[in-house]
Amino acid sequence: MEVPPDADGRLVLTDDQVREIASKFGTPLYVLSEPLLRQNARLFQMAANGAWSNSRVSYASKANSTLAVLKIFVNEGYGIDTASLGEIKAALLAGCDPSRIHLHGNCKTKAELEEAVRIGIGQIVVDGFEEIDLLSSLEGPIPKLLIRLAPGVDPITHEKVQTGQADTKFGLNIADGTAMKAVDIMIEHSLPLVGFHAHVGSQLIDTAAQISSADLIAAFA
């Protein structure tokens, strides 16, 4: 079915079109615009390249990990951000090169880390001391590692989705020395630490917290 966009670029469906789609595919049903996804993907990549020519942008599969969506972003040259073995499998099925897959998430199990190493994913974001111990015990080449930091910023969003403050339960605190302790341990175990990561919150209404977080991470590095 060809559905022309509305005059302002939005996708508009008539009642008859909605009923036709529902009768063909069933309900509940999510209808997404592939051209819009590709347009947004290219805008993000252009913005990143404008700031740093060697930038690589990744798509967070937790937003929508259906294979059709993942394939779009892989086709646009994106890496895929994952937080479970299921999301890693979906990224692989979508054609993503393992080296462009990143494993996030807290409380990773040994089985998850072993599988990530076996597959040869590009990066693992370490979220605690237990993960450092587990990685130190694994055999085989360890992927590049980043430490998730709690930078100490207070984003303007609902308190339940704030994750950048110093006392967040995610990541390692910069202010109290916890993050530096993690760096020292990883160096001591000759783990391939290559950088740092932070996630300051969801549904942010401005970029101030992200800018502050970037400044704090850069200063720490």
Side-chain angles (χ1 to χ4, degrees):
M1 175 188 297
E2 290 293 329
V3 181
D6 199 20
D8 63 0
R10 292 181 299 166
L11 179 67
V12 178
L13 301 176
T14 66
D15 286 350
D16 288 341
Q17 289 169 329
V18 171
R19 293 179 189 279
E20 181 183 342
I21 293 173
S23 66
K24 181 177 181 179
F25 297 103
T27 61
L29 177 69
Y30 290 92
V31 180
L32 305 177
S33 169
E34 179 177 348
L36 183 58
L37 287 177
R38 290 187 181 277
Q39 175 184 314
N40 287 342
R42 292 166 187 174
L43 287 172
F44 273 104
Q45 187 65 66
M46 287 174 58
N49 288 343
W52 181 257
S53 60
N54 199 31
S55 295
R56 282 188 168 186
V57 183
S58 292
Y59 170 73
S61 60
K62 69 178 182 179
N64 186 328
S65 59
T66 56
L67 293 184
V69 171
L70 294 178
K71 286 178 179 178
I72 290 170
F73 284 95
V74 170
N75 183 254
E76 291 295 329
Y78 272 48
I80 302 295
D81 225 28
T82 67
S84 68
L85 289 181
E87 291 183 357
I88 290 176
K89 183 177 181 180
L92 293 171
L93 288 173
C96 188
D97 188 296
S99 67
R100 301 295 305 275
I101 298 175
H102 321 296
L103 177 61
H104 284 268
N106 59 327
C107 301
K108 301 180 193 70
T109 65
K110 185 175 183 179
E112 287 176 325
L113 294 172
E114 286 177 335
E115 184 65 6
V117 170
R118 186 191 70 79
I119 292 170
I121 68 170
Q123 295 180 342
I124 296 175
V125 180
V126 175
D127 205 322
F129 290 106
E130 183 178 354
E131 290 181 18
I132 298 175
D133 292 339
L134 289 173
L135 288 164
S136 300
S137 70
L138 298 183
E139 297 181 0
I142 303 298
K144 295 177 180 179
L145 304 177
L146 290 83
I147 295 176
R148 177 170 178 173
L149 301 175
V153 298
D154 189 14
I156 302 174
T157 187
H158 192 281
E159 62 179 11
K160 298 298 185 182
V161 289
Q162 291 177 334
T163 55
Q165 64 273 30
D167 62 350
T168 180
K169 60 185 177 180
F170 303 112
L172 295 154
N173 192 318
I174 293 178
D176 68 2
T178 303
M180 186 58 74
K181 181 180 178 181
V183 171
D184 291 339
I185 293 173
M186 293 180 74
I187 292 174
E188 179 183 344
H189 288 285
S190 300
L191 291 171
L193 174 63
V194 300
F196 303 101
H197 164 84
H199 183 278
V200 298
S202 301
Q203 301 174 17
L204 305 185
I205 59 177
D206 65 39
T207 59
Q210 288 151 316
I211 293 170
S212 296
S213 174
D215 288 340
L216 290 165
I217 292 173
F220 177 78

